[in-house]
């Protein structure tokens, strides 16, 4: 993932100025949440399915070395070339070597977020190799020279008029803004490129250890074109994508589409088990799998974060996150956005100071945990990240001094009393009214809070000052219904 020149706050301020982006993200996220509620309700026992998913993923991650070895052995038995990339540089070098060996000019891609993580397109373009995204949303953001804004809906922030403008610029034609017309243009344009591509590249939703197969969930059918028409197929996958068996795939096939888009089942579920065999009419002649570490092994064994590797990339946590719904995916600055991005990006990146600030892009409401189909405690992980950020001394000096003063105030009775009286005075001077923020508050660090909220007016006499009078008051009879008179 590339380094960001701007800060999280600067990117958020840009997003706040874009009313259309915020409305579009909220609208789509709300629709996905509604569909998910309908589809999980129809399935029944959703919590039991979540627990089964959590158990499978946790078991795999705890025994990842065993299942990785089993997957590699079975994949190689099927004639697949398996490569292991320790980092971005290895992944790029392996991919480029395969491409150059095949004299490749065009790579057709589908469902490959990991290749986005290593910025594969950028490196290939430097070598004169075109990488064409064929998922509709991915193609739209590629034409706009942007990065995906959502894990499963990359162009969630664009409307059909913006897409129409992009397609007209690409085609040189005048197109209608009708979605059927735009989808038809994309279909015609992309179909002619599948056959031209020397290499098809995909990611992998799940890799089955017991068979050495990779499985793709998709809705558009382009993944099947990418994996069958080009002579060479490259799969780039994170090392944690493994599940043990076909039986476990059934659980994931119920969890992922329902959590992602509210579909009862994905339109296409494609299992790939090696190159074309004798007598088969389609499929690649050569298949490579690149298994990427890129910081994931450092998360293994970390009690506070290992569960983040359970993620099945459904995006459910984004759809319920109050922060993501306000700022969209580009504010997060990396490949992965939303709560999962705020956790995994700082863990994968070397620059902990820059990316650690993402942990503050959360209200810690826990909605992400409730939505996660495999029960990852993302809100707890965000707190752990914040603690590590503080312990590393990355927070501003003013914040560190403020908390030292806070700690000192609670250690001394006198300092606590003085702080209480001072806080009351500060509240009176900065509270403003319902119509306007006070002039003083505008010039204090509280401005970000008081700009949108009105502080309550404090009582004229503090509780501590009233306590002596209250203690001196005679005890009163307890309130309640009067006892009934006894009757003879």
């Amino acid at each position: 993932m590339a380094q960001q020149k701007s800060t999280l706050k600067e990117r958020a301020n840009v997003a706040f100025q874009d009313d259309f982006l915020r409305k579009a993200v909220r609208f789509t996220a709300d629709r996905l949440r509604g569909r998910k509620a309908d589809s999980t309700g129809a399935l029944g026992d959703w919590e039991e399915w979540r627990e089964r998913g959590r158990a499978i993923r946790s078991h795999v991650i705890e025994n990842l070395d065993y299942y990785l070895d089993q997957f590699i052995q079975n994949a190689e038995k099927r004639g697949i070339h398996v490569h292991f990339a320790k980092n971005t540089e290895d992944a790029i070098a392996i991919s480029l070597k395969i491409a150059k060996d095949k004299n490749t000019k065009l790579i057709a891609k589908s469902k490959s977020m990991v290749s986005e993580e290593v910025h594969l397109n950028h490196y290939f373009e430097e070598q004169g190799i075109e990488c064409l995204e064929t998922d509709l949303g991915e193609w739209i953001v590629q034409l706009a020279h942007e990065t995906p804004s959502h894990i499963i809906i990359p162009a969630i922030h664009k409307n059909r008029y913006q897409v129409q403008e992009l397609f007209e610029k690409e085609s040189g034609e005048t197109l209608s803004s009708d979605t059927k017309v735009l989808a038809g243009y994309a279909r015609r344009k992309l179909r002619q490129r599948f056959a031209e591509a020397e290499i098809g590249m995909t990611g992998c939703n799940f890799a089955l250890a017991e068979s050495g197969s990779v499985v793709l969930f998709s809705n558009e059918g382009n993944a099947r074109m990418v994996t069958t028409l080009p002579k060479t197929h490259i799969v780039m996958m994170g090392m944690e994508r493994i599940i043990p068996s076909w039986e476990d795939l059934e659980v994931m096939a119920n969890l992922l589409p329902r959590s992602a888009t509210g579909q009862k089942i994905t339109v296409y579920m494609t299992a790939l088990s090696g190159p074309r065999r004798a007598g088969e009419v389609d499929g690649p002649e050569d298949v490579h799998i690149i298994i990427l570490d890129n910081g994931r092994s450092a998360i293994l064994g970390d009690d506070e974060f290992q569960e983040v590797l359970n993620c099945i990339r459904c995006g459910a946590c984004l759809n319920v996150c109050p922060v993501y719904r306000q700022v969209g995916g580009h504010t997060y600055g990396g490949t992965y956005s939303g709560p999962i991005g705020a956790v995994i990006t700082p863990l994968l990146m070397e620059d902990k100071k820059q990316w650690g600030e993402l942990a503050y892009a959360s209200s810690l409401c826990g909605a992400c945990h409730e939505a996660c189909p495999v029960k990852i405690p993302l809100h707890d992980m965000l707190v752990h990240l914040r603690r590590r950020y503080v312990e590393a001394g990355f927070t501003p000096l003013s914040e560190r001094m403020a908390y030292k003063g806070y700690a000192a105030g609670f250690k001394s009775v006198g300092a606590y009393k003085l702080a209480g009286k001072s806080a009351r005075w500060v509240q009176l001077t900065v509270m403003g009214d319902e119509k306007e923020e006070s002039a003083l508050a505008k010039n204090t660090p509280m401005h970000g809070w008081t700009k949108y909220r009105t502080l309550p007016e404090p009582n004229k006499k503090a509780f501590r000052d009233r306590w002596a009078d209250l203690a001196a008051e005679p005890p009163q009879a307890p309130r309640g219904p009067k006892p009934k008179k006894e009757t003879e």
Side-chain angles (χ1 to χ4, degrees):
M1 286 178 271
Q3 299 296 313
Q4 278 285 346
K5 294 180 180 178
S6 57
T7 66
L8 172 65
K9 186 176 180 180
E10 290 168 343
R11 297 192 297 273
N13 283 333
V14 171
F16 283 141
Q17 308 307 316
D18 192 337
D19 289 337
F20 172 78
L21 177 147
R22 293 160 58 204
K23 289 179 182 176
V25 171
R26 283 202 300 270
F27 174 77
T28 307
D30 285 343
R31 289 187 65 187
L32 294 177
R33 289 170 63 189
R35 289 178 180 176
K36 178 188 173 185
D38 292 340
S39 63
T40 55
L43 179 65
D45 300 325
W46 179 242
E47 291 305 311
E48 185 179 333
W49 282 98
R50 287 180 73 203
E51 184 56 35
R52 290 177 68 185
R54 187 205 64 78
I56 292 169
R57 293 299 299 154
S58 294
H59 171 74
V60 169
I61 298 304
E62 289 166 5
N63 301 278
L64 191 57
D65 55 343
Y66 171 80
Y67 285 112
L68 264 176
D69 185 57
Q70 186 184 15
F71 171 74
I72 291 170
Q73 288 187 33
N74 287 327
E76 289 179 338
K77 286 178 184 175
R78 293 178 176 275
I80 299 172
H81 305 284
V82 181
H83 312 263
F84 192 83
K86 184 178 179 181
N87 48 36
T88 294
E89 291 74 19
D90 285 354
I92 298 299
I94 295 166
S95 304
L96 274 175
K97 184 178 186 309
I98 298 170
K100 289 184 175 180
D101 287 346
K102 306 293 180 182
N103 295 317
T104 304
K105 297 296 181 187
L106 173 63
I107 296 177
K109 293 177 62 189
S110 173
K111 293 190 69 63
S112 182
M113 182 162 278
V114 171
S115 72
E116 185 76 28
E117 178 183 322
V118 300
H119 298 283
L120 186 80
N121 292 12
H122 169 71
Y123 290 102
F124 271 50
E125 287 166 4
E126 285 185 342
Q127 300 295 319
I129 300 172
E130 180 185 1
C131 287
L132 177 70
E133 301 290 347
T134 64
D135 292 311
L136 181 57
E138 295 277 0
W139 191 47
I140 290 169
V141 294
Q142 185 180 36
L143 291 176
H145 304 290
E146 296 177 359
T147 54
S149 180
H150 190 286
I151 288 177
I152 59 167
I153 311 174
I156 190 174
H157 57 297
K158 293 199 176 295
N159 66 13
R160 58 193 170 113
Y161 302 105
Q162 293 170 313
V163 175
Q164 175 194 10
E165 185 178 339
L166 287 169
F167 284 5
E168 287 185 339
K169 186 177 180 181
E170 163 71 10
S171 65
E173 304 172 15
T174 301
L175 299 170
S176 161
S177 62
D178 184 88
T179 52
K180 290 183 179 178
V181 173
L182 296 175
Y185 168 73
R187 185 180 296 112
R188 292 193 305 275
K189 180 68 178 180
L190 292 175
R191 274 182 180 271
Q192 68 188 27
R193 305 302 306 278
F194 291 123
E196 298 171 5
E198 293 90 355
I199 290 178
M201 173 173 275
T202 68
C204 162
N205 287 107
F206 301 104
L208 272 64
E210 73 172 1
S211 67
S213 308
V214 295
V215 179
L216 298 173
F217 290 8
S218 62
N219 287 316
E220 301 172 24
N222 61 309
R224 291 194 168 187
M225 306 284 272
V226 166
T227 57
T228 53
L229 286 179
K231 292 184 178 179
T232 300
H233 177 207
I234 300 176
V235 180
M236 186 175 287
M237 55 175 271
M239 61 188 287
E240 77 281 15
R241 295 292 88 205
I242 306 284
I243 56 174
S245 66
W246 293 101
E247 186 178 353
D248 298 317
L249 181 63
E250 181 204 353
V251 178
M252 299 303 159
N254 273 300
L255 289 175
L256 198 155
R258 283 182 165 84
S259 301
T261 56
Q263 293 169 278
K264 293 179 181 177
I265 191 169
T266 190
V267 177
Y268 299 99
M269 185 168 67
T270 307
L272 305 161
S273 303
R276 180 192 308 183
R277 299 173 184 81
E280 294 180 339
V281 296
D282 57 15
E285 298 171 358
D286 195 21
V287 177
H288 297 257
I289 295 178
I290 302 173
I291 301 174
L292 180 68
D293 182 337
N294 209 30
R296 289 163 174 78
S297 58
I299 303 174
L300 288 171
D302 188 326
D303 292 339
E304 293 182 340
F305 295 109
Q306 180 167 291
E307 278 190 83
V308 78
L309 296 176
N310 292 359
C311 178
I312 59 174
R313 302 290 189 268
C314 66
C317 59
L318 280 69
N319 300 333
V320 297
C321 176
V323 175
Y324 176 86
R325 290 158 59 86
Q326 291 294 327
V327 298
H330 291 156
T331 299
Y332 293 82
T335 302
Y336 306 102
S337 55
I340 183 64
V343 172
I344 202 166
T345 304
L347 295 173
L348 296 181
M349 298 299 291
E350 293 181 359
D351 189 339
K352 305 298 183 189
K353 182 178 181 180
Q354 181 192 18
W355 294 100
E357 65 176 1
L358 286 180
Y360 293 86
S362 170
S363 64
L364 301 181
C365 62
C368 48
H369 172 60
E370 293 299 321
C372 178
V374 291
K375 299 186 175 183
I376 301 173
L378 290 168
H379 59 311
D380 289 340
M381 293 179 180
L382 288 165
V383 174
H384 297 323
L385 278 171
R386 291 184 187 187
R387 192 199 72 240
R388 292 188 183 186
Y389 195 75
V390 170
E391 289 174 348
F394 293 150
T395 49
L397 177 61
S398 58
E399 184 178 317
R400 297 201 298 274
M401 295 301 293
Y403 276 105
K404 282 186 178 179
Y406 183 82
F410 271 80
K411 288 178 181 176
S412 163
V413 175
Y416 182 81
K417 290 180 178 178
L418 179 62
K421 291 182 178 179
S422 301
R424 185 168 179 275
W425 177 83
V426 170
Q427 189 171 343
L428 281 169
T429 54
V430 303
M431 68 181 193
D433 55 42
E434 293 182 358
K435 295 182 179 179
E436 188 176 5
E437 182 185 16
S438 76
L440 181 60
K442 291 178 181 176
N443 297 303
T444 69
M446 296 180 67
H447 172 59
W449 199 91
T450 56
K451 184 178 179 182
Y452 302 100
R453 301 172 181 84
T454 302
L455 286 168
E457 183 178 0
N459 198 302
K460 293 180 180 178
K461 195 172 184 180
F463 178 77
R464 178 178 295 279
D465 296 333
R466 295 170 55 203
W467 178 247
D469 297 336
L470 292 172
E473 290 180 1
Q476 297 181 2
R479 296 180 180 180
K482 293 181 179 178
K484 295 181 180 179
K485 293 182 179 178
E486 294 183 0
T487 56
E488 295 181 358

